[in-house]
Amino acid sequence: MADKPTVLIIEDEPNIRSLIETVLSKNGYVTVGADSAESGLKKIPNLKPALILLDIQLPNMDGLECCRKIREDPRSKDIPLILVSVQSSDIHKIIGLESGADDFITKPFNPGELLARVNAVLRRSRQAESAPVPPQLSDGFFVLDLDNHEAALKGRKLKLTPKEFTLLVFFLKSREKVISRDVMSTHIWERENLDTSRTIDVHIGRLRKKLGKYHWVIQTVGKVGYRYSPEGEKS
Ligand code: CA
């Protein structure tokens, strides 16, 4: 059975918080409560909730400010969030202002409505997660299109042979790690019965040439092998 999703409830009114906790825990959720924006924000990194229910009217930092902070933090920017407020007219403005919330609910709400919203937001977020992402590898230097075998370096298209492309993919996946010639021979040249050590060096040499002034991102590591180190010193 899959783990129960955790919902963080940031709500200063104990009776409302406990109502929400009761409804959700009866329906397959684990709940964690926080009575202020500050305490909720502190819990998020370790808790990694599947969803956040956030009251707007909170002491000190209000829910909108809290929502902005959640969206600014890379650790929490993608967590689905439902804002809770008293006045529905406020909520419409808030949503219009792109608060970063996925949905909203107004008080007073009935348990069925709350549950329906939570389920719907989580379902949408799961669908978004499982949507196929374009098969692409990229960092500040390279963009590798794995479907079409196209490579670009700092926006400039590279003309690579299939082997050079495979090498580059391997390097990007093993960023900053030393890759021995043995590993390359096994993983990239597979069972080709060649003098692979020399073959590898020749291919790396050609690949580096194609990288022009960025040739240094692929470094030779003693007699062992190579390392893709785009943050390394230019040599
Ligand atoms: Ca409140």
Side-chain angles (χ1 to χ4, degrees):
M1 209 177 113
D3 285 342
K4 291 181 177 181
T6 301
V7 178
L8 174 63
I9 302 153
I10 307 177
E11 166 68 74
D12 59 319
E13 290 153 83
N15 54 337
I16 295 181
R17 200 169 62 236
S18 99
L19 168 73
I20 297 175
E21 296 208 40
T22 308
V23 173
L24 294 182
S25 55
K26 271 189 192 160
N27 288 281
Y29 293 97
V30 173
T31 60
V32 174
D35 62 2
S36 70
E38 291 82 355
S39 123
L41 287 171
K42 251 185 229 161
K43 288 179 199 274
I44 292 170
N46 285 329
L47 187 64
K48 299 185 180 75
L51 182 129
I52 300 167
L53 271 169
L54 176 59
D55 185 29
I56 290 182
Q57 283 150 325
L58 294 167
N60 302 317
M61 189 193 300
D62 71 14
L64 291 178
E65 176 68 23
C66 181
C67 183
R68 270 193 294 276
K69 289 203 185 296
I70 289 168
R71 288 295 177 252
E72 278 165 14
D73 188 330
R75 293 170 299 180
S76 58
K77 70 179 175 57
D78 296 323
I79 300 175
L81 188 147
I82 300 176
L83 281 172
V84 182
S85 172
V86 184
Q87 289 168 310
S88 60
S89 56
D90 281 353
I91 283 288
H92 287 293
K93 281 184 222 152
I94 289 152
I95 299 300
L97 289 170
E98 296 176 347
S99 62
D102 296 273
D103 203 352
F104 65 92
I105 189 165
T106 51
K107 293 178 194 172
F109 46 80
N110 66 51
E113 189 189 354
L114 170 74
L115 193 61
R117 299 264 184 201
V118 167
N119 288 339
V121 167
L122 274 175
R123 196 166 49 240
R124 284 207 302 270
S125 111
R126 286 201 196 102
Q127 279 166 356
E129 261 173 30
S130 58
V133 285
Q136 201 183 65
L137 266 183
S138 62
D139 60 15
F141 286 78
F142 295 97
V143 177
L144 305 182
D145 178 338
L146 303 180
D147 265 355
N148 303 310
H149 282 220
E150 285 175 348
L153 169 57
K154 293 277 185 187
R156 178 175 65 92
K157 271 200 170 184
L158 296 171
K159 277 190 183 174
L160 303 180
T161 65
K163 215 51 139 188
E164 290 162 354
F165 185 82
T166 309
L167 264 173
L168 208 47
V169 170
F170 205 79
F171 276 128
L172 258 77
K173 286 183 175 171
S174 320
R175 192 184 167 106
E176 301 297 335
K177 287 184 192 149
V178 177
I179 307 171
S180 70
R181 287 189 183 81
D182 282 348
V183 166
M184 286 187 187
S185 163
T186 311
H187 290 269
I188 298 172
W189 272 264
E190 295 170 358
R191 294 199 181 90
E192 289 174 27
N193 199 7
L194 299 163
D195 173 8
T196 44
S197 181
R198 200 183 120 68
T199 307
I200 291 167
D201 293 353
V202 169
H203 276 83
I204 298 274
R206 285 194 199 131
L207 176 59
R208 271 185 179 146
K209 219 172 198 175
K210 292 185 181 179
L211 305 185
K213 64 176 178 175
Y214 297 107
H215 62 89
W216 53 268
V217 298
I218 297 173
Q219 301 172 345
T220 307
V221 182
K223 288 178 180 170
V224 184
Y226 296 93
R227 174 173 54 210
Y228 172 54
S229 181
E231 284 146 12
E233 289 291 304
K234 293 184 191 192
S235 52

